[in-house]
Amino acid sequence: MTRKNNCKAVLLSVCSILTTTLLLLGGCSRNTDSIPVEYIGIDAAKETALDAAGLESGQVTFTTAGLDNKNGIFYYRVEFQDNDVAYSYDIDALTGVIIEERLPEESAVNEPSSAEGSDKVTSSGVSPTDTSISNGSISESEAKAIALSAAGLTEDAVTFTKVKQDEEDGIPVYDIEFFTDDKNEYDFDIRIEDGAILSYEFETHGGHQPVALGSGTISLENAIEIVLARVPGAAASDVSIRLDEHGGRQTYKGELIYNNMEYEFRLDAYSGSVLEWEAERK
C-alpha cells in the first residue's frame, strides 16, 4: 500500500511539472506573437543604440526600452546611462534606422560649430545647419526623413519627384512624392509645424503577380490579416472590406478606421499584394 502511494505521489509530481512547463511555454508564445514579425525587435534596437554610442551592454544601465508610436510611425525608444551620462535613441521599428538621438550635453561642447566649417550629419540624415521655416517648425530634410521612415525606405532606394511647401485645408504642409525602382509611388502631406503626417497615399504600377492556372482568390480572412499587419493595434472589427473588380481583375477594396486615422486600400485578390493604400488623419 505504501509503495502504491509513493508511485502515485511521483506521478502527480511529474504531471505538475509538465503542466507548469506547458503553461510557461504557452505564455512565451503569446508574448512573441503580439510583436509584429516585420519589426527588428527590441534586442536589435538596443544593439543599434549601443553601437552608435560606442558602448557595450555591460557598461550601461537601460532605463527605457520599448515600442512607441508618433504620428503613425512606430519606433523603439532606447535610453540608458553610462555612470551619470544619459543617452537616448529613437530607432525606426521597421528599418532599424536611428530617427533621433539625444546625446550627453558634454559632447555638444566638444563638437565643432558650423562657423568652423563643420558639415556633420546626424544619424537621421539631417544636417544641424538645415534651416526651418520658422521657430518650432521642421525643415525640408526632416520632412523627407519622416516620409521615408513611414514608408520603411531609405533615401538611396527612392527618387523624389516633388518636395515643396503647400497647404492642406489651410494648414502649411510639405507635399512630398517619390517612387521606387519597382514602380511603387508614395505621396505624403506632412505638417510643417510639428512633422505630423496628415495624409499619405501608396500605389503600385508594377503589374499584377502571375497567378497559377486554376488558382483562386485569397480568403476574406487572409485579406483582413494583410491589412491589419500594416496597422499594428487595429482589430478585424475596425475593417470594412468587400470583393470588387478592378481592371478586369478581382480585388479586395475597403477601409480601416483606427486611432484617429482613416485608411483606404485595394488588394490584389489572387496574390494579396497591396495595390493602393491611402491614409488620412480624421
Side-chain angles (χ1 to χ4, degrees):
M1 187 69 177
T2 302
R3 182 175 179 181
K4 289 182 177 180
N5 288 336
N6 288 340
C7 291
K8 184 177 182 180
V10 170
L11 181 60
L12 288 173
S13 177
V14 170
C15 290
S16 176
I17 292 171
L18 288 173
T19 300
T20 302
T21 303
L22 289 173
L23 287 172
L24 288 173
L25 289 174
C28 292
S29 177
R30 283 192 294 274
N31 290 337
T32 301
D33 292 342
S34 66
I35 301 174
V37 294
E38 67 267 26
Y39 289 174
I40 63 170
I42 190 62
D43 290 337
K46 285 182 176 180
E47 286 298 321
T48 299
L50 289 171
D51 288 344
L55 297 169
E56 300 288 340
S57 58
Q59 298 177 252
V60 306
T61 300
F62 287 96
T63 55
T64 300
L67 190 64
D68 206 343
N69 172 25
K70 183 179 180 182
N71 301 328
I73 301 173
F74 282 83
Y75 64 93
Y76 290 101
R77 168 66 60 83
V78 179
E79 297 178 348
F80 51 84
Q81 288 187 326
D82 176 20
N83 294 323
D84 294 328
V85 181
Y87 297 79
S88 179
Y89 293 87
D90 292 345
I91 298 169
D92 188 279
L94 287 169
T95 64
V97 173
I98 296 176
I99 301 172
E100 185 176 354
E101 57 181 339
R102 291 166 290 280
L103 301 177
E105 292 183 2
E106 302 92 291
S107 63
V109 176
N110 296 323
E111 288 180 359
S113 65
S114 58
E116 295 172 341
S118 171
D119 57 355
K120 183 178 184 240
V121 176
T122 65
S123 297
S124 61
V126 180
S127 170
T129 59
D130 284 344
T131 57
S132 298
I133 305 306
S134 62
N135 291 336
S137 63
I138 65 168
S139 69
E140 182 179 291
S141 295
E142 288 172 320
K144 289 168 64 176
I146 290 170
L148 288 169
S149 177
L153 299 168
T154 56
E155 188 163 358
D156 58 358
V158 308
T159 300
F160 285 94
T161 56
K162 182 191 294 184
V163 180
K164 72 171 187 177
Q165 297 177 41
D166 204 344
E167 283 194 0
E168 182 72 19
D169 296 328
I171 300 173
V173 299
Y174 282 111
D175 184 3
I176 298 178
E177 297 181 9
F178 53 85
F179 66 89
T180 61
D181 289 341
D182 50 357
K183 300 181 180 179
N184 293 329
E185 293 185 2
Y186 299 81
D187 185 356
F188 288 83
D189 285 333
I190 298 176
R191 190 161 59 199
I192 293 177
E193 179 185 2
D194 57 6
I197 298 175
L198 299 185
S199 67
Y200 70 89
E201 300 178 12
F202 164 82
E203 188 172 359
T204 181
H205 300 282
H208 300 292
Q209 294 185 9
V211 180
L213 185 63
S215 64
T217 61
I218 63 174
S219 69
L220 184 67
E221 290 76 14
N222 285 344
I224 292 175
E225 289 177 1
I226 292 170
V227 172
L228 292 177
R230 297 176 69 94
V231 187
S237 58
D238 300 319
V239 181
S240 174
I241 189 172
R242 70 181 187 276
L243 196 61
D244 189 34
E245 185 172 319
H246 182 70
R249 190 179 177 90
Q250 294 293 304
T251 64
Y252 282 107
K253 181 181 181 181
E255 65 178 13
L256 185 159
I257 299 176
Y258 174 72
N259 198 23
N260 297 322
M261 291 289 292
E262 181 177 0
Y263 304 86
E264 295 183 359
F265 57 84
R266 185 185 297 275
L267 310 181
D268 181 71
Y270 302 93
S271 66
S273 300
V274 178
L275 303 177
E276 299 174 9
W277 187 271
E278 300 181 15
E280 186 171 1
R281 192 172 299 277
K282 292 178 63 69

